């Protein structure tokens, strides 16, 4: 069945490049606002609370948040792919079942993550060798953050549903609203209520409370959008339950992606642990660099989401030729954006660092990090684009193994073997280009093999 939805037409019909650019632009703008309010947290903490506050929010705590949320976002990829394929094929009943199962997964997952997070926070913070000066603040931030985990996951799943059917604009509007609310709450708690001047821990708590409130607001709005829809993805609160068959479909694609994201984050946690061993200035610099580095990651991940949606809907509609063309255009877009961005950060990175921190030693360390890593960003493009296309076509197990071996295992091995022999920032940094290049080569080989073997029309099973 062919729908009249204009956004869907741009995905399965008409110009691929214009449709992808439009979809990607909305995703990227949404990612910008997502990171913008995270950045505001960092700026307020870094400037008002100090370098210790920035390290507490952006160091070990950020890694642990990424571990939990990243796993679920990987799992939700399975839901997005399933919904995109069925929506592209016009199979309304299956779309409805997938939507209600997805929201049920988010609620159950949020409850489980909250319980695990609250009880494991102190142990993980200690295991990551977090500098003693920021242990209390990091622990407080995480415990409050986990209280909002259900809302966090419901929002992410709801936004993923909308993007899967080709709607990238309304998730953007939700992010814009929550972004500005978060800024106001940050200012209110940290500066207005003077929590930032009481202590590092109190300042960090203020930021955490503001974040949780915004996550709750985002979840409420996105659920309202789904409930008020008149299309096949309409959410009926009374029908939220797990359909066993649909759960199996989602897990088949989403679980490998979730494991992949988790192992990726675990390897980064090991890197964070190594950075922590170098000292708190290095930890603060790494946190500040991470807020700048996110310019690249939000761009490339938005493109990965776009190409996954294009591949999924066109694969579901049986238009394999458009899947291949979507892949090529995604590469074009990625290179056109990544190269200028790398040049900008390389030459003007210090300006960005000064937004987050005033300590000269921290800034100097951050500059070195940027100049070392930014020139290698282009080597990661193939990982995001090719894995996105492969997931869109319904294969996730092999991409998981490629990522595990090419990035996670290799990176962990490097840190465990090379870092003890030479405990420098450069040793840690080298693990990134080493694993990006290796994994891109592996994905290229598998993509060529897979598309040649399965170059025929079929509908999602």
């Amino acid at each position: 069945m062919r729908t009249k939805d204009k956004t869907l037409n741009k995905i399965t019909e008409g110009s691929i490049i214009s449709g992808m650019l439009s979809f990607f632009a909305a995703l990227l703008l949404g990612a910008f606002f997502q990171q913008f309010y995270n950045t505001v947290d960092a700026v307020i903490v870094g400037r008002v609370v100090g370098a210790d506050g920035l390290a507490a929010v952006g160091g070990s705590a950020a890694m642990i948040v990424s571990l939990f949320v990243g796993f679920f976002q990987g799992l939700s990829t399975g839901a997005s792919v399933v919904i995109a394929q069925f929506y592209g094929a016009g199979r309304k009943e299956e779309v409805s079942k997938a939507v209600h199962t997805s929201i049920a997964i988010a609620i159950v997952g949020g409850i489980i993550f909250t319980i695990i997070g609250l009880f494991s926070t102190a142990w993980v913070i200690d295991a990551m060798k977090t500098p003693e000066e920021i242990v209390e603040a990091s622990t407080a931030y995480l415990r409050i953050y986990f209280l909002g985990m259900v809302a966090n996951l419901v929002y992410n799943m709801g936004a993923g549903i909308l993007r899967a059917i080709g709607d990238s604009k309304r998730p953007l509007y939700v992010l814009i609203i929550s972004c500005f609310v978060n800024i106001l709450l940050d200012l209110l708690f940290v500066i207005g209520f003077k929590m930032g001047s009481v202590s590092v821990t109190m300042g960090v708590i203020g930021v955490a409370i503001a974040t949780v409130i915004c996550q709750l607001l985002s979840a409420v709005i996105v659920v309202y959008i789904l409930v008020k829809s008149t299309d096949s993805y309409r959410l009926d609160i009374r029908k939220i339950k797990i359909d066993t068959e649909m759960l199996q479909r989602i897990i088949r694609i989403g679980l490998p992606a979730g494991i992949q994201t988790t192992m990726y984050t675990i390897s980064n946690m090991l890197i964070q642990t190594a950075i922590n061993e170098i000292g708190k200035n290095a930890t603060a610099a790494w946190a500040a660099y991470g807020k700048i580095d996110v310019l690249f990651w939000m761009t490339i991940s938005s493109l990965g989401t776009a190409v996954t949606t294009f591949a999924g809907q066109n694969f579901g509609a049986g238009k394999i030729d458009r899947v291949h063309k979507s892949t090529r255009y995604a590469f074009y877009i990625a290179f056109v954006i990544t190269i200028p961005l790398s040049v900008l950060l390389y030459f003007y990175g210090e300006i960005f660092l000064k937004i987050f921190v005033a300590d000269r030693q921290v800034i100097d360390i951050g500059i070195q990090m940027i100049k070392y890593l930014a020139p290698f960003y282009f080597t990661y493009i193939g990982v995001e684009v090719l894995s996105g296309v492969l997931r869109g076509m319904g294969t996730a197990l092999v991409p998981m193994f490629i990522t595990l071996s090419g990035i996670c295992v290799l990176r962990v091995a490097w840190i465990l073997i090379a870092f003890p022999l030479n405990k420098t920032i450069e040793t840690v940094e080298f693990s990134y280009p080493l694993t990006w290049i290796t994994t891109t080569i592996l994905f290229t080989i598998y993509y060529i093999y897979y598309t040649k073997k399965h170059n025929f029309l079929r509908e999602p099973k």
Side-chain angles (χ1 to χ4, degrees):
M1 176 180 289
R2 183 170 297 179
T3 177
K4 294 182 180 180
D5 187 279
K6 293 182 179 179
T7 306
L8 177 60
N9 288 339
K10 291 182 180 180
I11 294 177
T12 59
E13 302 171 4
S15 171
I16 296 177
I17 186 65
S18 64
M20 182 173 287
L21 281 172
S22 175
F23 191 70
F24 165 65
L27 288 174
L28 181 58
L29 194 55
F32 168 78
F33 278 100
Q34 177 82 51
Q35 293 303 327
F36 182 63
Y37 81 69
N38 289 336
T39 300
V40 170
D41 288 349
V43 171
I44 292 176
V45 171
R47 287 291 183 174
V48 178
V49 182
D52 284 356
L54 177 60
V57 173
S60 299
M63 289 292 102
I64 296 169
V65 167
S66 296
L67 178 66
F68 284 87
V69 177
F71 172 79
F72 183 80
Q73 287 178 335
L75 184 63
S76 68
T77 298
S80 296
V81 169
V82 169
I83 292 169
Q85 289 183 351
F86 285 131
Y87 196 75
R91 294 163 64 170
K92 294 184 177 181
E93 184 177 349
E94 286 87 348
V95 170
S96 180
K97 287 182 180 179
V99 166
H100 289 90
T101 299
S102 299
I103 296 297
I105 292 173
I107 294 172
V108 174
I111 294 172
I112 294 173
F113 283 4
T114 299
I115 295 172
I116 294 175
L118 290 175
F119 283 99
S120 66
T121 291
W123 175 81
V124 178
I125 286 289
D126 180 64
M128 290 185 68
K129 300 180 181 178
T130 303
E132 185 177 349
E133 301 93 328
I134 61 174
V135 167
E136 181 183 1
S138 297
T139 303
Y141 178 84
L142 277 175
R143 284 178 172 160
I144 294 173
Y145 191 96
F146 277 113
L147 291 176
M149 192 58 75
V150 172
N152 189 331
L153 301 194
V154 168
Y155 162 72
N156 276 292
M157 184 64 84
I161 291 170
L162 292 173
R163 294 180 186 119
I165 59 92
D167 183 356
S168 58
K169 291 183 179 180
R170 285 185 289 180
L172 168 61
Y173 301 151
V174 176
L175 282 172
I176 292 174
I177 293 171
S178 63
C179 173
F180 287 106
V181 170
N182 188 83
I183 293 173
L184 292 175
L185 291 176
D186 276 341
L187 294 173
L188 177 63
F189 289 124
V190 180
I191 299 176
F193 293 162
K194 298 182 179 180
M195 295 177 72
S197 60
V198 174
S199 66
V200 171
T201 300
M202 286 302 296
V204 167
I205 287 174
V207 170
I209 293 173
T211 299
V212 169
I213 292 174
C214 287
Q215 289 172 344
L216 180 60
L217 175 65
S218 298
V220 170
I221 295 175
V222 82
V223 167
Y224 178 81
I225 290 172
L226 293 173
V227 168
K228 290 299 181 179
S229 171
T230 57
D231 206 338
S232 57
Y233 59 90
R234 177 180 179 274
L235 177 67
D236 186 337
I237 302 296
R238 297 167 298 180
K239 294 182 180 179
I240 296 177
K241 65 178 182 178
I242 294 178
D243 179 89
T244 305
E245 181 182 355
M246 199 59 66
L247 176 64
Q248 291 174 350
R249 294 177 187 271
I250 292 171
I251 289 178
R252 188 169 63 243
I253 299 173
L255 185 59
I259 294 174
Q260 171 182 319
T261 304
T262 300
M263 295 306 296
Y264 200 117
T265 304
I266 288 175
S267 68
N268 285 336
M269 289 175 70
L270 184 61
I271 287 176
Q272 181 68 58
T273 302
I275 291 289
N276 290 343
E277 285 191 58
I278 297 173
K280 74 172 186 177
N281 282 344
T283 300
W286 192 250
Y289 166 69
K291 298 301 179 182
I292 299 169
D293 182 56
V294 80
L295 290 171
F296 169 71
W297 293 108
M298 73 178 186
T299 300
I300 202 68
S301 63
S302 295
L303 185 59
T305 301
V307 77
T308 298
T309 300
F310 269 71
Q313 284 206 27
N314 282 294
F315 183 80
K319 299 180 178 181
I320 301 300
D321 182 57
R322 289 180 66 86
V323 174
H324 297 327
K325 289 181 179 178
S326 297
T327 306
R328 291 199 299 272
Y329 289 133
F331 270 106
Y332 297 156
I333 295 170
F335 277 108
V336 167
I337 293 175
T338 299
I339 293 176
L341 178 60
S342 299
V343 172
L344 175 67
L345 293 181
Y346 186 89
F347 288 105
Y348 300 100
E350 182 175 355
I351 296 174
F352 292 99
L353 285 168
K354 288 180 177 178
I355 296 174
F356 302 101
V357 65
D359 189 297
R360 187 66 238 181
Q361 287 184 314
V362 174
I363 291 174
D364 288 340
I365 296 172
I367 291 172
Q368 187 278 332
M369 292 173 174
I370 293 173
K371 288 186 178 294
Y372 191 102
L373 292 172
F376 288 103
Y377 284 160
F378 78 96
T379 64
Y380 183 79
I381 290 173
V383 178
E384 192 71 33
V385 172
L386 296 180
S387 63
V389 173
L390 290 166
R391 283 195 298 268
M393 290 191 289
T395 177
L397 193 59
V398 174
M400 179 193 75
F401 284 121
I402 290 175
T403 301
L404 291 183
S405 59
I407 288 184
C408 303
V409 174
L410 182 56
R411 188 172 293 174
V412 168
W414 178 262
I415 295 299
L416 292 179
I417 297 172
F419 182 70
L421 299 176
N422 186 26
K423 292 189 175 184
T424 64
I425 293 175
E426 289 82 1
T427 303
V428 176
E429 291 166 338
F430 182 73
S431 65
Y432 283 90
L434 172 66
T435 53
W436 292 342
I437 293 170
T438 301
T439 310
T440 291
I441 293 172
L442 293 175
F443 264 115
T444 301
I445 293 172
Y446 181 67
Y447 176 78
I448 293 172
Y449 163 78
Y450 185 85
T451 52
K452 284 185 177 180
K453 183 178 179 180
H454 300 278
N455 194 20
F456 53 86
L457 302 182
R458 58 175 174 154
E459 61 183 10
K461 295 180 180 179

